[in-house]
Amino acid sequence: MPDNAPVIRGDDPASFPHSVLAERHPALVRKVQEATPYGPEQRRALDALLRNTLHGTVEPPADDDWWDTWNARRYAGRSWFSLPFLAAESCFYRQLLRAVGYFDSGPWQGVDPFRPFKLAELDTPEAAAELTALGPLSERPLPYQLSALLHGSLWGNRADLGFRLQSTEETSADSPLVADDSEALLTLLTGPARGPADGATGRTLCLVADNAGRELIPDLLLVDHLLTHGHFDRAVLHLKPYPYFVSDATTADTLDAVRHLVAAKTDAGHRLHTALSEGRLTLRTHPFSCAPLPYADMPADLRADFASADLTLMKGDLNYRRLVGDRRWPPTTPFTEVTAYFPTPVAALRTLKSDVITGLTPETETTLNTAEGDRWRSSGTRALIQLRT
């Protein structure tokens, strides 16, 4: 991957990353305190984290190997705003989990501080309406169904809880895509699966999930459609091994989503439950999924895992930042160039919620900048589908 573009940081007070560190993170600390009746020790630790992220420096705990594993201890003593944006966010969430006792032995061990928000997403009228729409959709031609589910997965990212802490603006699935490789992606998705009679092992889809709650539902529905109609023999869903950014999907969140689909009496819910039981849908986690590093730095075992798939779908804004590198690329930098290192064909489904962008035409870049300045990069009202075969 080329590395000749500046790394995105939060040191400019007028920048989007600065607003995340100065506004979104403090708001999240307060929401966590309000949502769960943590004891005095955890509440004091959260208060200290809030003060530290705004006015202090990075203070890695001596007994946390995460900082050593991912070479993050080098940020000790630096202002949060001076760090690479991806590192600053990752270190903040690690510190938040430490503050609430997630990794400690004791009653709060393993308790997801974000779970109340994730579960609430499944219980909204909007989520119910989306499931109701599955009935009429099933009566449409299969190519229409797949296209609708693909775009549902793409725009499902607008349910990102962290983003909504800062923005109440409604997004629209009718908003134009700034880059659109959907036709080529649909062709790749519908390639015939090779069954045992062909003497082959069949096709494998890898989907790297982003957010839980209401966003994970359309991701699972897309996977169910591809398995049910024989386009892939197996699917692997990559999840976070523990809570990471506020909405990020874990195994527990995935089971919550499948149970929700089963309780709603959807055929897809029962099929997904069966696919998990039979191993046609596999859940996978890797420590690197919670690392403050781009996918270009992934360890060999994760690279081999991706290489075994016929196609990898990267969902959401954070995975896009890690896929192309969280840098201020010229927007016309080819997506194929910055993802050339990836060991398998890879597609990005992303609503735009941060500054990084690649793969635009000069005309698109000019039009967006003229109409909105830089705001289109992070407002969540634009999206893209990009593919590198």
Side-chain angles (χ1 to χ4, degrees), residues 3-304:
D3 59 359
N4 55 348
V7 173
I8 294 174
R9 302 176 188 274
D11 48 3
D12 179 358
S15 69
F16 171 75
H18 189 282
S19 72
V20 170
L21 301 177
E23 300 170 20
R24 184 186 298 181
H25 286 179
L28 176 60
V29 170
R30 297 184 186 100
K31 282 183 69 71
V32 166
Q33 289 177 318
E34 294 167 1
T36 302
Y38 287 110
E41 180 182 351
Q42 290 76 30
R43 303 186 81 79
R44 282 193 297 270
L46 287 169
D47 287 337
L49 175 62
L50 193 155
R51 290 191 302 270
N52 177 262
T53 53
L54 289 175
H55 309 295
T57 60
V58 179
E59 300 173 0
D63 59 345
D64 189 347
D65 292 341
W66 178 89
W67 297 82
D68 303 296
T69 301
W70 308 120
N71 195 25
R73 208 171 286 279
R74 56 183 160 156
Y75 301 125
R78 292 175 53 178
S79 163
W80 292 86
F81 297 94
S82 72
L83 270 58
F85 183 39
L86 178 61
E89 289 194 285
S90 296
C91 293
F92 166 79
Y93 281 104
R94 184 72 183 189
Q95 293 289 64
L96 192 154
L97 290 178
R98 292 278 303 192
V100 298
Y102 184 88
F103 298 110
D104 298 337
S105 59
W108 296 107
Q109 185 179 42
V111 176
D112 183 350
F114 313 128
R115 193 158 187 252
F117 316 138
K118 296 172 180 177
L119 290 177
E121 279 292 323
L122 296 175
D123 236 357
T124 60
E126 293 83 1
E130 288 162 358
L131 292 186
T132 300
L134 289 177
L137 179 63
S138 66
E139 299 171 3
R140 303 297 295 271
L142 289 180
Y144 179 93
Q145 290 183 38
L146 179 56
S147 180
L149 291 170
L150 178 67
H151 284 84
S153 178
L154 167 67
W155 285 103
N157 189 248
R158 64 189 170 178
D160 181 340
L161 300 169
F163 177 76
R164 286 168 54 193
L165 288 171
Q166 264 188 310
S167 173
T168 57
E169 179 175 349
E170 287 298 318
T171 60
S172 169
D174 297 324
S175 298
L177 304 187
V178 301
D180 186 4
D181 292 335
S182 57
E183 185 174 342
L185 178 55
L186 287 167
T187 298
L188 195 57
L189 286 171
T190 54
R194 296 166 295 177
D198 303 316
T201 57
R203 293 212 310 163
T204 298
L205 173 73
C206 177
L207 192 151
V208 183
D210 188 37
N211 296 319
R214 189 172 145 213
E215 180 187 343
L216 190 56
I217 295 292
D219 293 345
L220 290 171
L221 294 176
L222 175 62
V223 168
D224 168 66
H225 180 95
L226 293 169
L227 290 175
T228 298
H229 296 287
H231 300 306
F232 289 86
D233 297 275
R234 291 173 306 281
V236 178
L237 187 65
H238 273 261
L239 302 157
K240 300 298 188 296
Y242 50 81
Y244 189 38
F245 286 31
V246 57
S247 307
D248 285 5
T250 65
T251 298
D253 300 322
T254 304
L255 296 179
D256 284 338
V258 172
R259 291 187 190 106
H260 179 77
L261 287 168
V262 170
K265 298 186 175 6
T266 65
D267 293 337
H270 294 286
R271 288 194 299 260
L272 287 163
H273 192 282
T274 300
L276 284 165
S277 301
E278 295 176 349
R280 290 181 294 112
L281 174 58
T282 303
L283 307 184
R284 196 153 300 166
T285 62
H286 193 284
F288 186 78
S289 296
C290 296
L293 298 169
Y295 280 110
D297 295 338
M298 74 179 97
D301 61 334
L302 182 58
R303 177 179 291 274

